[in-house]
Amino acid sequence: MAPQPGGASSRVLLVSGTRPEAIKMLPLLAELRRRPGLAPVLLSTGQHREMLDQALAAFGERCDLDLGLMQPGQDLSDLFARVLLGVAGVLRRERFGLVLVHGDTTTAMAAALAAFHARIPVGHVEAGQRSFDLDSPWPEELNRVAVDAMAALMFAPTEGAAANLRAEYNAQGRILVTGNTGIDALLGAAARIAGDRALAARLALAMPPLDPARRLVVVTAHRRENLGPGLSRICDALAAIAARGDVQIVWPLHRNPAVRGPALRRLGGRPGIHLVEPLGYLEMVWLMSRAALLLTDSGGLQEEGPALAKPVLVLREVTERPEALATGVVQLVGTDPRRIRAAVARLLDDAAAYAAAARHAFPFGDGTAARRIADAIEDWAAADARMTSAA
């Protein structure tokens, strides 16, 4: 028996607060809407207000519920408390059979805890990824471990992530290897851009002036553990790379003043470096597709680079995505300027090394993760409805 629309077991609350969460949850939202027995509801906490809105606009979506919790210079503890109380209030007012959270953000952790307190099952999208270092990434490693300890449904992107879950505390949770919904979003966006010349032309107009004779290096850096000295070292490395004269660097700056301030002071106005405002999702996919190389401390680009056949240098010492390293497309380089410069030089100056890294790899799935997750949720909701009827 399929769950009845409108019944508690059929109502699924998807919670997002940041741009990466939205990008990876929206393919799942679309898939859940295709299931007549399910009633998905999208809630925004507003953890990253403007960047979240950019992601929603790229998919032509809007939130059903919006807590609007963004505040300038927000402290992690204050944000956690506001998300916890805000989501708890929603769960008191409305009935849901399942709360879905994504990844490792403060929004995911607080929303999962609110659902746990309300005795509502939690589903964790992108479960099981581990760096095994609570300081890196900080505080994300603790967030994802805690969410998995509470989750009834754990959607692991890879078999390695599932193995991590099987070794941990929560033996009662159901673990499914699904792939990563971020690859669903990426492949869909890339196909959309490739098939629409007018769209591609509009995206190109949103970019800084790019020199076709220079290779493009795309940078993202915003991790909390890199703020301060780490970010300064990254800036030093980028200045030296730009000084080669044969590359151009585009860095869409995060809204966090602790990122923007140092980057603008140290790199603003330097030849060959474009420090730009945060790009929309489609703009970012267009830019990555044209890059020779990606430098990042982001988890998402570690997944997206291999799918786009783009070498990725990770500006961290550890990663929770060892599957990306195993492809040879992704390499850890940390924040030491000499190490970063050497890795960039090897890829840009050694054709064989570049060819070995610039190849397609899909360790995080084939673009069907949302369908697999929706299938599992549909089965779970139907079983819950049967149990409720029998009671």
Side-chain angles (χ1 to χ4, degrees), residues 45-49 67-74 79 82 255:
T45 67
Q47 182 177 337
H48 291 163
R49 177 78 275 160
L67 299 180
L69 299 178
M70 178 70 177
Q71 292 186 8
Q74 55 192 351
L79 173 63
R82 290 196 300 273
R255 296 289 186 190

Side-chain angles (χ1 to χ4, degrees), residues 215 311 328 345-359:
R215 285 172 290 184
R346 177 172 178 269
L347 288 168
L348 295 184
D349 298 338
D350 183 334
Y354 186 82
R359 56 186 178 78

Side-chain angles (χ1 to χ4, degrees), residues 262-325:
L264 290 168
R265 285 194 300 272
R266 300 174 76 95
L267 299 176
R270 283 184 177 266
I273 299 180
H274 302 282
L275 303 177
V276 301
E277 294 300 314
L279 297 176
Y281 181 60
L282 294 178
E283 287 83 357
M284 192 65 187
V285 173
W286 184 96
L287 190 66
M288 289 192 297
S289 297
R290 282 149 183 81
L293 182 62
L294 307 177
L295 271 65
T296 186
D297 61 9
S298 163
L301 266 67
Q302 294 178 58
E303 300 160 356
E304 294 166 340
L308 293 173
K310 304 298 178 180
V312 181
L313 299 180
V314 181
L315 306 171
R316 295 168 55 190
E317 298 296 339
V318 297
T319 180
E320 60 284 351
R321 292 168 172 84
E323 300 89 350
L325 300 180

Side-chain angles (χ1 to χ4, degrees), residues 9-373:
S9 61
S10 72
R11 300 196 75 218
V12 180
L13 183 67
L14 295 84
V15 184
S16 292
T18 68
R19 168 179 153 147
E21 284 175 308
I23 290 169
K24 293 184 174 185
M25 286 292 247
L26 289 174
L28 178 54
L29 174 68
E31 188 63 38
L32 292 173
R33 282 178 175 160
R34 297 188 185 102
R35 312 300 170 107
L38 297 176
V41 174
L42 179 62
L43 179 146
S44 164
T45 67
Q47 182 177 337
H48 291 163
R49 177 78 275 160
E50 293 181 40
M51 297 173 74
L52 174 64
D53 289 344
Q54 281 183 332
L56 292 170
F59 288 84
E61 287 287 356
R62 61 179 179 79
C63 294
D64 301 297
L65 302 168
D66 192 341
L67 299 180
L69 299 178
M70 178 70 177
Q71 292 186 8
Q74 55 192 351
D75 176 85
L76 275 178
S77 296
D78 290 341
L79 173 63
F80 182 90
R82 290 196 300 273
V83 174
L84 176 64
L85 293 174
V87 175
V90 171
L91 298 181
R92 282 194 295 268
R93 293 189 299 270
E94 301 191 34
R95 296 178 64 203
F96 293 96
L98 181 68
V99 173
L100 287 177
V101 301
H102 176 273
D104 54 20
T105 67
T106 299
T107 281
M109 169 66 160
L113 186 58
F116 181 78
H117 287 166
R119 305 300 293 264
I120 298 172
V122 173
H124 190 195
V125 180
E126 202 175 89
Q129 292 184 327
R130 299 289 184 268
S131 70
F132 301 101
D133 182 350
L134 289 180
D135 288 328
S136 183
W138 182 92
E140 289 85 359
E141 179 75 358
L142 175 62
N143 289 343
R144 54 182 167 237
V145 171
V147 173
D148 284 331
M150 296 182 276
L153 296 172
M154 291 174 276
F155 303 112
T158 65
E159 181 55 44
N164 292 338
L165 294 167
R166 295 186 193 106
E168 293 180 354
Y169 165 78
N170 186 6
Q172 299 303 312
R174 183 181 177 195
I175 301 166
L176 299 99
V177 179
T178 61
N180 196 303
T181 54
I183 301 302
D184 297 25
L186 176 70
L187 296 181
R192 180 179 165 191
I193 294 168
D196 188 336
R197 290 185 179 180
L199 173 61
R202 289 198 301 272
L203 298 175
L205 289 174
M207 300 298 153
L210 299 177
D211 182 351
R214 296 186 180 191
R215 285 172 290 184
L216 174 62
V217 176
V218 174
V219 177
T220 68
H222 66 275
R223 285 283 186 182
R224 289 180 185 272
E225 69 266 24
N226 277 343
L227 299 183
L231 192 68
S232 295
R233 290 192 292 269
I234 291 169
C235 289
D236 290 343
L238 296 179
I241 293 165
R244 290 170 51 107
D246 64 342
V247 301
Q248 55 198 327
I249 295 170
V250 178
W251 183 357
L253 293 178
H254 197 277
R255 296 289 186 190
N256 188 340
V259 175
R260 295 175 67 82
L264 290 168
R265 285 194 300 272
R266 300 174 76 95
L267 299 176
R270 283 184 177 266
I273 299 180
H274 302 282
L275 303 177
V276 301
E277 294 300 314
L279 297 176
Y281 181 60
L282 294 178
E283 287 83 357
M284 192 65 187
V285 173
W286 184 96
L287 190 66
M288 289 192 297
S289 297
R290 282 149 183 81
L293 182 62
L294 307 177
L295 271 65
T296 186
D297 61 9
S298 163
L301 266 67
Q302 294 178 58
E303 300 160 356
E304 294 166 340
L308 293 173
K310 304 298 178 180
V312 181
L313 299 180
V314 181
L315 306 171
R316 295 168 55 190
E317 298 296 339
V318 297
T319 180
E320 60 284 351
R321 292 168 172 84
E323 300 89 350
L325 300 180
T327 67
V329 178
V330 177
Q331 176 187 347
L332 287 173
V333 296
T335 61
D336 183 305
R338 289 172 297 180
R339 187 175 170 194
I340 296 171
R341 289 168 58 192
V344 169
R346 177 172 178 269
L347 288 168
L348 295 184
D349 298 338
D350 183 334
Y354 186 82
R359 56 186 178 78
H360 289 286
F362 297 91
F364 300 100
D366 56 5
T368 58
R371 177 176 56 77
R372 293 189 180 101
I373 295 171

